[in-house]
């Protein structure tokens, strides 16, 4: 697989991340009145990934028009060339400056259209963009119900040239990766939400107790004056003693063995364990700043990056093209002050950036990002965009656009979000994926596009109003709530849903009317089925709101009449 990150990371100019050039030329007809008028051309020696992308192109064009374009290694008439081809070489299509996920869509003359990427991934993503751009296909939510394919009797393609590069070079919306064959993972792949780096909790795997527990107990931390030896290789409640003699070389050996077994791997994770139990020996304390970070936790960054830099420098002697992801989390939340971060290490700054709706938190977060950018040449963001732990549609589309565009302009090149959605959040994940590719898009236009494809033009305004209610709640109202705090790295949504008390009855009534109207106005059986699923989620949210507000109300009856009214309401809630 082609990897261009060294050049891209150091020289990719933000405003060139999305470039579209239009050439004036005649459109090419690929389907006419339900009959195929072009051939999909794929080289015989193309990879399985590129051949599969060509089949996907064939599948959706046929689903849209009824015309099955033949797939061949050459064509005498009109052709859509997928991947490296004779036509691409003759046209001089340059892919050398493309990111691995970037692609070119280019019409050549009256009879050839080229889809080619910076790698096989880029070619695949080019096919999906082609289907969105020229056929109107949308992958709205996971599953077959979430795929919208407009009907066309004829399809023609303008002879344009489109060059696209992703702004964020890694774009994972967890738990959906780009591998595997689940509805969620297929949805992520179609929407180009792909991870290109690893950085997760991994120190326990670098120093497994089954390997080092008896031979090197000093690799494990001193806590409260006692050596903590992990109970098993899965025990993550500790951090290694990074000042221990020999711990750098031990890590180098472990990483070397990994790359020997996985020669195609480009990244390795140096991510801390999900713990705050760092070594408290005098040797380790001497390597630290002696201060607490903005989270009120002991600042471990100088100690950790002294170790990480030493490890990476030695690994790079044998593997000079590798990259190393890590977490700027808990004790590592702030950048080191005594050392600079090796340019091959990518720290991911962890924070729930929805909370940037609070100006104080936004300023703090932006200043932190700038300090990290001064200490580390390449940085990433780790976000907490949860849906499933939230008892309302947690949407904040415009906030996402604001902070992603700011991050892209301030040296943030990678992004990961713990999304874990419930799909009652509607367009949230889809809009997030689109903005990770290009954060400077018009959010309202994206939303209108999703609503129209999801429910049809008549129902779309009702869905738009429904989600606007909840976007206002999470973008404005929540910051006036007692639930809001400037503590912690993420909202404690699963601890106690006190935010439900801040939803006015008028919003519940309005949301209910919007969802009912959207279901009535949806214009096809498939779209009605989609809205019906959303309505089920709304019913869940509505019941939760009513029950929680009733159970926590201080408006207890003071008379027999009030008591009878209260019982009537209670019966409604129970139902």
């Amino acid at each position: 697989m082609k990897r261009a990150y060294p050049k891209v990371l150091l020289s990719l100019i933000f405003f060139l991340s999305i470039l579209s050039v239009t050439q004036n030329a005649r459109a090419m007809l690929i389907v006419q009145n339900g009959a195929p008028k072009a051939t999909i051309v794929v080289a015989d020696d193309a990879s399985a990934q590129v051949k599969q992308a060509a089949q996907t192109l064939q599948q959706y064009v046929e689903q849209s028009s009824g015309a099955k374009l033949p797939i061949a290694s050459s064509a005498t008439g009109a052709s859509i060339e997928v991947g490296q081809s004779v036509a691409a070489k003759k046209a001089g299509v340059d892919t050398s400056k493309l990111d691995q996920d970037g692609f070119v869509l280019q019409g050549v003359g009256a009879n050839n259209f080229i889809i080619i990427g910076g790698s096989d991934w880029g070619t695949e993503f080019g096919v999906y963009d082609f289907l969105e751009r020229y056929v109107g296909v949308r992958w709205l939510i996971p599953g077959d119900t979430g795929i919208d394919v407009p009907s066309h009797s004829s399809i023609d393609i303008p002879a344009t040239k489109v060059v696209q590069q992703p702004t964020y070079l890694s774009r994972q919306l967890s738990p959906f990766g780009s591998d595997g064959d689940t509805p969620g993972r297929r949805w992520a792949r179609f929407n180009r939400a792909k991870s290109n780096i690893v950085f997760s909790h991994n120190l326990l795997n670098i120093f497994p107790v089954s390997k080092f527990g008896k031979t090197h107990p000093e690799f494990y931390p001193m806590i409260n004056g006692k050596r903590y030896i992990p109970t098993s290789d899965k025990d993550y409640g500790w951090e290694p003693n990074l000042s221990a003699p020999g711990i750098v070389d031990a890590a180098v050996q472990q990483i070397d063995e990994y790359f020997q077994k996985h020669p195609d791997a480009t990244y390795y994770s140096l991510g801390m364990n999900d713990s705050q139990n760092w070594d408290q020996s005098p040797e380790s304390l001497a390597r630290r700043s002696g201060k607490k970070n903005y989270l009120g936790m002991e600042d471990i960054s100088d100690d950790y990056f002294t170790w990480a830099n030493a490890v990476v420098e030695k690994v790079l002697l044998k593997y000079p093209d590798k990259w190393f992801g890590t977490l700027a989390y808990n004790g590592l939340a702030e950048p080191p002050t005594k050392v600079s971060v090796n340019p091959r290490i990518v720290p991911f700054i962890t924070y729930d950036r929805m909370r940037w709706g609070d100006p104080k938190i936004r300023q703090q977060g932006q200043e932190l990002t700038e300090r990290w950018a001064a200490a580390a040449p390449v940085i990433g963001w780790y976000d907490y965009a949860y849906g499933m732990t939230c008892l309302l549609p947690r949407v904040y589309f415009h906030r996402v656009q604001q902070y992603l565009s700011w991050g892209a302009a301030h040296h943030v090149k990678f992004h990961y979000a713990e999304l874990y959605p419930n799909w009652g959040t509607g367009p949230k994940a889809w809009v997030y994926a689109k903005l990770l590719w290009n954060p400077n898009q018009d959010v309202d236009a994206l939303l209108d596009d999703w609503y129209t494809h999801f429910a049809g033009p008549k129902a779309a305004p009702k869905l738009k109003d429904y989600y606007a209610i909840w976007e206002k709640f999470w973008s404005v109202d929540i910051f006036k709530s007692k639930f809001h705090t400037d503590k912690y790295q993420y909202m404690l949504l699963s601890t106690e849903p006190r935010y439900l008390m801040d939803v006015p009855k008028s919003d519940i009534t309005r949301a209910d009317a919007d969802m009912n109207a959207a279901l009535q106005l949806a214009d096809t059986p498939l779209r009605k089925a989609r809205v019906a699923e959303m309505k089920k989620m709304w019913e869940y949210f509505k019941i939760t709101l009513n029950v929680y507000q009733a159970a926590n109300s201080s408006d207890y009856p003071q008379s027999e009449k009030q008591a009878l009214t209260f019982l009537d309401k209670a019966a409604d809630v129970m139902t």
Side-chain angles (χ1 to χ4, degrees), residues 123-423:
T123 297
E124 179 181 338
F125 291 155
V127 167
Y128 301 155
D129 186 87
F130 178 98
L131 289 167
E132 286 187 323
R133 190 181 296 268
Y134 302 125
V135 185
V137 179
R138 297 291 185 274
W139 296 275
L140 301 165
I141 59 175
D144 293 340
T145 303
I147 304 173
D148 196 62
V149 184
S151 296
H152 300 287
S153 59
S154 299
I155 301 174
D156 59 12
I157 311 166
T160 60
K161 180 179 180 181
V162 176
V163 181
Q164 290 221 350
Q165 302 263 41
T167 297
Y168 284 88
L169 303 179
S170 186
R171 307 165 300 283
Q172 184 170 359
L173 299 173
S174 190
F176 308 123
S178 51
D179 58 339
D181 192 29
T182 65
R185 289 175 181 266
R186 288 194 296 272
W187 172 88
R189 193 160 177 158
F190 283 129
N191 287 293
R192 292 171 272 169
K194 172 175 172 272
S195 173
N196 288 318
I197 188 171
V198 290
F199 52 84
S200 57
H201 305 298
N202 198 45
L203 294 186
L204 74 166
N205 298 316
I206 299 177
F207 304 110
V209 68
S210 60
K211 182 171 183 176
F212 296 108
K214 293 182 178 180
T215 58
H216 290 282
E218 70 276 11
F219 286 0
Y220 302 98
M222 291 291 293
I223 300 173
N224 296 325
K226 294 182 179 181
R227 181 77 62 191
Y228 180 85
I229 303 298
T231 57
S232 72
D233 285 351
K234 295 182 179 180
D235 180 354
Y236 59 83
W238 58 279
E239 306 291 350
N241 172 14
L242 302 176
S243 67
I247 197 167
V248 168
D249 289 336
V252 171
Q253 182 180 355
Q254 291 284 91
I255 297 169
D256 177 64
E257 290 176 2
Y258 175 83
F259 283 134
Q260 286 184 40
K261 294 178 181 177
H262 305 88
D264 294 331
T266 306
Y267 291 93
Y268 189 86
S269 173
L270 297 177
M272 61 175 282
N273 298 336
D274 200 359
S275 165
Q276 190 59 16
N277 288 322
W278 294 95
D279 180 66
Q280 296 299 316
S281 68
E283 293 80 7
S284 292
L285 293 176
R287 289 156 52 109
R288 300 173 191 167
S289 68
K291 300 178 181 178
K292 290 188 176 181
N293 62 28
Y294 80 98
L295 296 171
M297 297 181 177
E298 182 185 11
D299 179 19
I300 310 294
S301 291
D302 285 311
D303 184 11
Y304 171 85
F305 283 101
T306 297
W307 169 82
N309 284 346
V311 170
V312 169
E313 286 169 8
K314 289 194 172 186
V315 173
L316 291 176
L317 294 175
K318 187 173 182 180
Y319 303 101
D321 61 342
K322 305 301 184 183
W323 292 83
F324 302 84
T326 192
L327 289 161
Y329 172 67
N330 282 358
L332 305 181
E334 296 200 30
T337 57
K338 297 179 181 179
V339 296
S340 296
V341 179
N342 187 289
R344 286 277 170 169
I345 298 176
V346 183
F348 276 74
I349 309 168
T350 63
Y351 204 79
D352 183 346
R353 291 174 184 83
M354 188 217 82
R355 300 172 68 201
W356 279 21
D358 181 327
K360 175 184 173 183
I361 293 177
R362 179 170 63 251
Q363 181 179 358
Q364 182 185 59
Q366 290 177 348
E367 289 176 352
L368 178 65
T369 299
E370 290 173 337
R371 286 194 287 124
W372 268 108
V378 185
I379 57 176
W381 269 352
Y382 188 116
D383 212 337
Y384 299 92
Y386 275 95
M388 72 178 185
T389 57
C390 188
L391 300 174
L392 288 176
R394 187 176 178 235
V395 296
Y396 41 99
F397 313 112
H398 294 79
R399 293 285 185 208
V400 173
Q401 192 273 336
Q402 290 164 9
Y403 66 69
L404 287 182
S405 61
W406 186 92
H410 290 80
H411 312 291
V412 184
K413 296 294 185 183
F414 295 83
H415 192 281
Y416 171 94
E418 290 190 37
L419 183 68
Y420 295 94
N422 65 59
W423 294 100

Side-chain angles (χ1 to χ4, degrees), residues 487-526:
K487 297 179 181 178
Y488 316 116
Q489 290 163 279
Y490 49 84
M491 280 193 163
L492 302 178
L493 294 167
S494 60
T495 304
E496 182 186 349
R498 288 175 292 128
Y499 56 85
L500 295 176
M501 296 302 294
D502 296 310
V503 179
K505 295 290 185 183
S506 58
D507 279 0
I508 301 174
T509 301
R510 180 178 150 199
D512 199 46
D514 284 335
M515 189 57 73
N516 288 329
L519 181 60
Q520 182 179 2
L521 294 169
D523 59 1
T524 68
L526 178 58

Side-chain angles (χ1 to χ4, degrees), residues 89-105:
K89 292 177 181 178
K90 285 183 178 180
V93 179
D94 183 11
T95 61
S96 63
K97 296 181 181 179
L98 288 177
D99 172 72
Q100 63 169 351
D101 292 343
F103 55 84
V104 176
L105 309 181

Side-chain angles (χ1 to χ4, degrees), residues 3 33 130 167 193 273 314 381 466 469 531 543 563:
R3 298 280 178 175
N33 297 324
F130 178 98
T167 297
N273 298 336
K314 289 194 172 186
W381 269 352
Y466 172 84
I469 294 169
V531 179
I543 290 169

